[in-house]
Amino acid sequence: MTKIKIGIIGSGGMARHHLARFAPMETVEVVAIASRNEQTGHGLAAEHKVIFVPDWHSLVERENIDGVVICTHNDSHGEIVLAALQADKHVFVEYPLASDVAEGETALKLAEKRGRVLRVSHPEAVSNTHKALKEKISELGDLLLTSFVRLTPGRGSRPEILFNLPVSGTPAHFFIYHIYPIVDFFGGAASVKKSAVYEGLKENGQYDRFVNTLTVEFKRGGIGQWTWAGGIAINAAEEHERYVLTEGTISDAGGEWHCTTPAGVTPLIISDSPQPTLQELWLSEIRDAADQLPCLADAAVALEAIRISLASGE
Ligand SMILES: NC(=O)c1ccc[n+]([C@@H]2O[C@H](COP(=O)([O-])OP(=O)(O)OC[C@H]3O[C@@H](n4cnc5c(N)ncnc54)[C@H](OP(=O)(O)O)[C@@H]3O)[C@@H](O)[C@H]2O)c1
């Protein structure tokens, strides 16, 4: 079997993570790494015995590469996705798909026109919990309300990147992995209302603490609410998720999923069957794209998710 040749863009945490998964696969060959950070870029390339190129443009234009894996910060995803698709490369991009809705829309159109795979790194696509929730939601009637709350005490290991509006976008945007699964269940939003407060906000867009809320009305009916607060005075992170449907409510009380109906409370059964990894999924989609147009359902959900996260503004 001919190996699929790929290039990695970025040389930080996620580039290292994806490389560790691709490197042992016999069906793939990592050809080159591009990063603006020459030190970590050279280091990672040397570890994997591949070429280092400082400029990502020259990587996406290389003829001996079938696909690119984009692991840069949020502010450059859209531009690199478009350049890679224009160069006829298959794309695997870290979330979010883009930080501009028009770029995301163009990316989907380009992928469709050129028959390229466009996958955004949202792990729900291979998650047993997500599958179990989707199935249970389909049994419980119409959505009335879904609510998601996440409270985090710290500012993460790299607050200068994350708590930084021009680089990472609003909390709703960098927490898009809390929006994507809910859009996958209920589709896009007809309207979005947002509220955001930043403490210690500097002129360069960095800040110390935030509260960000979003309320959407889904096109198919029902309300969605997200609340994030970070850098706050709390001992440990808290997360709560609820799906209130006409025939029952699913919630994650105490880290375990339960379903409540008038008949009683039952645990949500989650299979432990092995699933492909996101990297394996992307490679199999590239192979399939030799004979058929790729399915862009995942990218379409990722696009609806950024429509919501970017409508949240600053
Ligand atoms: N799927 C997941 O579970 C997950 C988890 C965490 C993060 N993420 C996403 O993954 C992405 C990367 O996060 P990370 O934690 O790997 O960040 P990171 O450790 O800071 O690495 C980012 C890398 O990309 C380089 N870079 C940034 N902008 C660039 C540009 N415009 N052109 C060329 N190189 C560029 C950085 O160079 P410098 O060293 O010079 O900055 C660095 O090498 C983010 O979009 C984040 O949202 C996903």
Side-chain angles (χ1 to χ4, degrees):
M1 192 188 287
T2 330
K3 288 191 178 196
I4 295 171
K5 297 194 168 79
I6 65 169
I8 309 273
I9 305 181
S11 50
M14 292 316 293
R16 190 166 279 283
H17 169 89
H18 290 303
L19 265 166
R21 274 152 189 75
F22 283 120
M25 293 181 187
E26 286 180 359
T27 54
V28 69
E29 179 185 342
V30 181
V31 173
I33 294 174
S35 177
R36 68 179 179 194
N37 188 325
E38 298 217 2
Q39 195 185 350
T40 58
H42 268 301
L44 198 55
E47 269 177 51
H48 288 272
K49 298 186 176 54
V50 303
I51 300 162
F52 171 72
V53 290
D55 177 18
W56 62 259
H57 294 91
S58 66
L59 184 140
V60 299
E61 278 154 21
R62 287 180 82 96
E63 286 193 358
N64 67 339
I65 281 182
D66 304 303
V68 296
V69 180
I70 302 167
C71 310
T72 58
H73 299 142
N74 297 1
D75 55 348
S76 51
H77 291 185
E79 183 190 4
I80 304 176
V81 166
L82 292 183
L85 290 170
Q86 265 149 2
D88 274 332
K89 302 299 186 284
H90 300 288
V91 171
F92 182 105
V93 58
E94 262 312 327
Y95 60 71
L97 167 61
S99 292
D100 176 280
V101 171
E103 276 183 343
E105 288 170 346
T106 309
L108 243 77
K109 282 185 197 141
L110 259 179
E112 193 174 10
K113 191 169 151 200
R114 297 187 178 235
R116 300 292 98 176
V117 177
L118 170 59
R119 178 158 284 282
V120 185
S121 181
H122 281 295
E124 287 75 18
V126 293
S127 148
N128 279 324
T129 301
H130 186 74
K131 283 199 180 104
L133 279 170
K134 200 167 184 172
E135 200 176 314
K136 185 52 86 181
I137 284 168
S138 72
E139 294 167 8
L140 292 177
D142 296 329
L143 177 72
L144 298 171
L145 171 72
T146 168
S147 74
F148 178 93
V149 177
R150 178 175 166 129
L151 312 176
T152 42
R155 301 177 70 232
S157 58
R158 300 202 49 205
E160 74 284 5
I161 303 294
L162 203 59
F163 283 42
N164 184 327
L165 291 169
V167 174
S168 293
T170 61
H173 195 53
F174 65 67
F175 279 134
I176 192 143
Y177 53 95
H178 300 141
I179 299 177
Y180 172 99
I182 293 175
V183 171
D184 190 40
F185 296 147
F186 304 112
S191 70
V192 183
K193 286 188 190 143
K194 58 97 184 182
S195 186
V197 173
Y198 301 98
E199 273 188 16
L201 181 61
K202 301 182 189 72
E203 263 184 28
N204 65 5
Q206 293 191 12
Y207 54 91
D208 298 328
R209 189 188 284 212
F210 69 87
V211 179
N212 191 181
T213 65
L214 274 187
T215 303
V216 308
E217 225 175 296
F218 291 100
K219 287 179 195 152
R220 66 180 253 187
I223 303 286
Q225 286 182 327
W226 290 260
T227 301
W228 299 273
I232 57 167
I234 189 172
N235 178 258
E238 284 184 18
E239 210 170 285
H240 313 274
E241 205 170 333
R242 306 272 183 279
Y243 299 95
V244 183
L245 297 125
T246 47
E247 310 301 324
T249 294
I250 311 168
S251 59
D252 70 340
E256 291 204 357
W257 286 98
H258 287 89
C259 178
T260 309
T261 67
V265 182
T266 49
L268 183 72
I269 309 294
I270 299 170
S271 151
D272 58 3
S273 64
Q275 296 294 327
T277 64
L278 275 178
Q279 294 82 4
E280 286 167 344
L281 193 59
W282 182 58
L283 294 171
S284 76
E285 288 170 332
I286 292 176
R287 290 205 184 284
D288 292 347
D291 308 316
Q292 63 197 50
L293 283 178
C295 168
L296 294 170
D298 154 77
V301 176
L303 173 60
E304 286 299 335
I306 65 164
R307 281 192 215 285
I308 293 174
S309 69
L310 292 169
S312 70
E314 281 178 26

